[in-house]
Amino acid sequence: MTRAQDLYDANGERLQKVLAHAGVGSRRACEELITQGRVSVDGVVVCQLGIRVSPDAVIHVDGNRVQLDETKLTLVCYKERGVVSTMSDDQGRPTLADYVADRTERLYHVGRLDADTEGIILLTNDGELAHRLTHPSYEVPKTYIARVEGTVPRGLTKVLEKGITLDDGPVKVDSFVLRELGKKHSIVELTLHSGRNRIVRRIMEEVGFPVIDLVRTQFGNITIGRLKPGQVRQVAGSELGALMSMVKL
């Protein structure tokens, strides 16, 4: 069984300094987190000050991973309609690369949004994080708001939460909320973890309410917040830690 003292690395840095440098809080605040038993190193809760840790230690605060590798970068951008979810396009269409032209890191997009869909999409140079976020086994939820044709009946919620069958297999939503009902159009919110191609559009088409406009407002714990179309911001600190923990990092 690993004990806290077994984590000691004479050549490492003090745990509270590592946490402060990673942006968790001031040195004093990080010391309090440690003494309160809210910090773990390589799966072991550390409550004593003075522990020196290895640069490759896996550290969590309140269960959320602390990213120590300063070379890793994760961004969230608000993809506009008409932009393709690639970093280059041989047809000359606008791409995600246009949003990060000032960045020197080689970034990869996490999943895709079709050209007609707007909303948030993640870019990162952390290959393992990208892989896990898109892998079906981690079931990362995504939330969309759609304007659809027709007046959506309230009973559709139970139908979609129970599940329907598309041409590539069954699918169900985690939640379905009617936001606004009208004679010609309705606005609905769907949360689901399926990453299949154009899945929201295909679901709504199947049940008779084709999508007119579609926006992804949340990916995992990352929300659209105050982002405007075309804007980009960094995902860091506790927000990044929660995202990493969501996929067991």
Side-chain angles (χ1 to χ4, degrees):
M1 181 176 178
T2 305
R3 300 171 301 172
Q5 54 263 44
D6 295 329
L7 302 171
Y8 184 84
D9 184 339
N11 297 316
E13 279 195 304
R14 292 185 184 276
L15 179 56
Q16 56 265 43
K17 183 178 179 180
V18 171
L19 292 173
H21 186 70
V24 173
S26 66
R27 186 82 63 88
R28 174 72 180 189
C30 292
E31 289 176 349
E32 291 180 358
L33 289 173
I34 294 169
T35 57
Q36 291 169 4
R38 296 166 62 184
V39 179
S40 68
V41 179
D42 294 337
V44 179
V45 175
V46 175
C47 299
Q48 63 190 85
L49 301 177
I51 290 288
R52 292 179 179 271
V53 296
S54 165
D56 58 356
V58 176
I59 301 175
H60 288 79
V61 175
D62 292 334
N64 292 329
R65 176 76 175 267
V66 178
Q67 176 58 273
L68 303 179
D69 188 346
E70 295 182 347
T71 67
K72 295 290 194 298
L73 176 68
T74 298
L75 305 172
V76 56
C77 66
Y78 190 135
K79 188 190 85 66
E80 300 160 283
R81 190 170 184 171
V83 175
V84 293
S85 294
T86 60
M87 300 306 286
S88 63
D89 183 67
D90 55 12
Q91 298 180 40
R93 294 172 294 180
T95 70
L96 299 173
D98 297 333
Y99 296 132
V100 290
D102 60 333
R103 296 282 181 174
T104 58
E105 299 88 354
R106 186 176 183 182
L107 298 167
Y108 303 89
H109 52 90
V110 179
R112 294 175 181 268
L113 290 175
D114 64 73
D116 292 332
T117 299
E118 58 183 282
I120 61 172
I121 189 166
L122 301 183
L123 302 175
T124 186
N125 62 355
D126 188 334
E128 182 61 23
L129 176 62
H131 168 72
R132 294 194 183 202
L133 287 173
T134 54
H135 198 281
S137 65
Y138 291 101
E139 299 189 339
V140 177
K142 299 104 178 171
T143 299
Y144 302 80
I145 292 180
R147 185 165 69 98
V148 301
E149 295 181 11
T151 303
V152 176
R154 299 190 180 279
L156 187 59
T157 298
K158 290 184 177 180
V159 171
L160 293 181
E161 291 181 350
K162 182 178 180 181
I164 62 173
T165 300
L166 302 177
D167 55 8
D168 57 352
V171 64
K172 63 180 178 179
V173 303
D174 300 326
S175 70
F176 183 83
V177 180
L178 300 177
R179 291 295 185 193
E180 189 176 310
L181 299 179
K183 292 182 178 180
K184 293 184 177 180
H185 306 134
S186 299
I187 296 177
V188 299
E189 180 181 283
L190 305 86
T191 298
L192 67 167
H193 54 264
S194 173
R196 282 187 261 170
N197 187 43
R198 299 174 66 86
I199 189 65
V200 174
R201 293 181 184 276
R202 291 195 290 132
I203 287 174
M204 296 311 297
E205 178 80 31
E206 179 67 23
V207 295
F209 302 96
V211 169
I212 302 169
D213 299 306
L214 184 62
V215 182
R216 182 158 72 188
T217 59
Q218 187 164 344
F219 186 108
N221 65 303
I222 310 300
T223 64
I224 202 165
R226 296 182 179 179
L227 271 185
K228 303 298 183 184
Q231 290 185 336
V232 179
R233 69 171 177 83
Q234 186 172 353
V235 179
S238 60
E239 184 182 38
L240 176 60
L243 181 68
M244 297 178 73
S245 296
M246 188 173 286
V247 289
K248 311 303 181 185
L249 284 174

